[in-house]
Amino acid sequence: MNNQNLLKTCSRFLKERWKDSSTFFVSNRKPILNYKICLVLFLHFQLTTILAESKKNIQPPEGDGITIIVEKGQTLSIISKTYLDDPRKWKELLKSNQIDNPNLIIPGMKLWIPKSLGKKPLADLQRFTGTTEVLKISQKQNDWAKATNGEGLYAKDEVRTLKESEAQFVFLSGSRFEITENSHVIMERGKTDTEPDELFLRQGRIRSLIPKTKSPNQKMFLLKTESAESVVKGTDFLTEVDGNGNTTLSCYEGAVSVTAEKVTVQVNAGFATYVEKGKAPLKPFSVPNPPIPENK
């Protein structure tokens, strides 16, 4: 039972007991309160004080990080797992917000998540031209905002380019992605440390440059579209989604495994495949050499 419900219960109990004549006993014709009523009154006073303190608008300290608004049903445990890179550092979160009692965290209040405690971004927006916008789903934002160079992109965040615009972002792993005009991508984090991070290409064209490493345990990368998904591990490839959700993938270096409708084809360097929505990938066919990407 939370504080508010307990307070209501105590208040209701107080009213009921006040109506009961047995609540009092008489000594020298002076009514004296029963000890149970005294206890209820004490609890009522204590809980009222706690709730009053919790409703104070705690101003987050100045500094890097994000500010969230606690939602109904969110506990300290849920908040820590959702926003902290290490949920075990919940005590540091309380200290950063000058909160001594975890019970003071209630819906509607603001909490500051310091950058040092918060989840690390999946990628950084390195550069862009024209009109590029970002939808920060990770911060509960519902409106698109103008992108800024160097801003972090987290799981669920979306990036889109409008007409005559381009953008480039780099994952922490070093993988680089370049999207052309009228493109729209969504960031996804792997469910575990061993599962690959993901990008969902909703529409447009994306150039993917995945660095090779000598480690046999190199983490793979997953690029999804509405009609197919591609698994890569060190390669250079181009993916394009048309207005009907069909996908074209061209591999320029390394190899890409493309899967759709439970059928997988391997696309080697110099080849491409086409995936019509709802159908299996076509047998890979030869493609011309790709343009040389910038800064490669």
Side-chain angles (χ1 to χ4, degrees):
M1 180 182 296
N2 58 36
N3 288 339
Q4 291 179 326
N5 290 337
L6 182 57
L7 177 58
K8 292 178 181 179
T9 301
C10 290
S11 299
R12 186 166 58 251
F13 177 74
L14 176 61
K15 292 179 182 179
E16 294 298 323
R17 294 293 291 168
W18 196 269
K19 295 177 183 179
D20 190 346
S21 60
S22 63
T23 302
F24 300 87
F25 63 88
V26 178
S27 176
N28 296 328
R29 296 185 179 181
K30 293 181 180 180
I32 301 177
L33 283 173
N34 187 293
Y35 76 93
K36 292 182 179 180
I37 288 299
C38 292
L39 177 60
V40 172
L41 285 172
F42 174 76
L43 290 174
H44 186 282
F45 174 78
Q46 290 290 93
L47 291 175
T48 301
T49 302
I50 291 176
L51 289 175
E53 288 294 322
S54 65
K55 290 181 179 179
K56 288 182 178 180
N57 187 17
I58 300 175
Q59 295 296 328
E62 294 293 333
D64 292 334
I66 62 172
T67 298
I68 66 168
I69 297 179
V70 179
E71 299 178 355
K72 184 178 180 181
Q74 281 189 323
T75 62
L76 178 59
S77 175
I78 293 176
I79 292 172
S80 298
K81 291 177 181 178
T82 303
Y83 294 100
L84 301 189
D85 196 52
D86 184 353
R88 294 172 297 181
K89 294 185 177 181
W90 58 270
K91 289 184 178 179
E92 294 182 36
L93 175 63
L94 293 179
K95 184 177 180 180
S96 299
N97 287 269
Q98 302 176 8
I99 298 176
D100 297 325
N101 187 349
N103 292 323
L104 296 182
I105 298 179
I106 64 171
M109 75 177 296
K110 293 181 179 180
L111 274 183
W112 176 57
I113 312 295
K115 186 176 181 179
S116 60
L117 295 178
K119 288 185 179 296
K120 302 299 183 288
L122 287 177
D124 291 323
L125 188 61
Q126 194 172 71
R127 66 174 181 81
F128 63 90
T129 60
T131 303
T132 298
E133 298 177 330
V134 176
L135 182 61
K136 287 297 189 71
I137 299 297
S138 62
Q139 297 183 22
K140 309 295 183 182
Q141 294 181 5
N142 298 316
D143 299 317
W144 289 91
K146 290 184 178 179
T148 58
N149 281 325
E151 71 175 302
L153 301 171
Y154 297 80
K156 306 297 183 183
D157 287 349
E158 304 182 23
V159 181
R160 71 180 181 186
T161 53
L162 303 186
K163 187 177 180 181
E164 298 180 353
S165 303
E166 295 180 341
Q168 181 183 100
F169 46 93
V170 179
F171 270 57
L172 296 182
S173 61
S175 298
R176 189 166 83 249
F177 302 90
E178 302 167 352
I179 56 177
T180 59
E181 64 176 354
N182 300 319
S183 296
H184 183 176
V185 295
I186 303 173
M187 309 288 157
E188 284 290 353
R189 185 186 298 275
K191 296 181 177 62
T192 66
D193 292 337
T194 58
E195 292 187 19
D197 293 330
E198 302 175 9
L199 266 181
F200 182 84
L201 179 62
R202 178 164 287 177
Q203 69 176 37
R205 177 184 294 180
I206 185 170
R207 180 77 177 273
S208 306
L209 299 159
I210 315 297
K212 294 180 179 179
T213 68
K214 296 180 180 179
S215 172
N217 298 320
Q218 179 187 2
K219 189 175 181 180
M220 292 188 295
F221 184 83
L222 193 62
L223 176 63
K224 291 183 177 181
T225 68
E226 193 173 354
S227 57
E229 64 178 46
S230 308
V231 178
V232 298
K233 195 179 204 181
T235 191
D236 174 3
F237 65 103
L238 181 71
T239 308
E240 184 172 4
V241 177
D242 64 23
N244 296 318
N246 305 317
T247 300
T248 301
L249 184 141
S250 305
C251 182
Y252 303 134
E253 184 180 342
V256 184
S257 296
V258 180
T259 301
E261 298 299 314
K262 299 181 180 181
V263 175
T264 300
V265 298
Q266 179 164 302
V267 183
N268 295 316
F271 288 81
T273 187
Y274 176 79
V275 184
E276 185 177 348
K277 186 177 178 181
K279 295 184 179 181
L282 294 182
K283 181 180 178 180
F285 49 88
S286 180
V287 294
N289 293 328
I292 299 176
E294 296 182 17
N295 302 323
K296 186 172 181 181

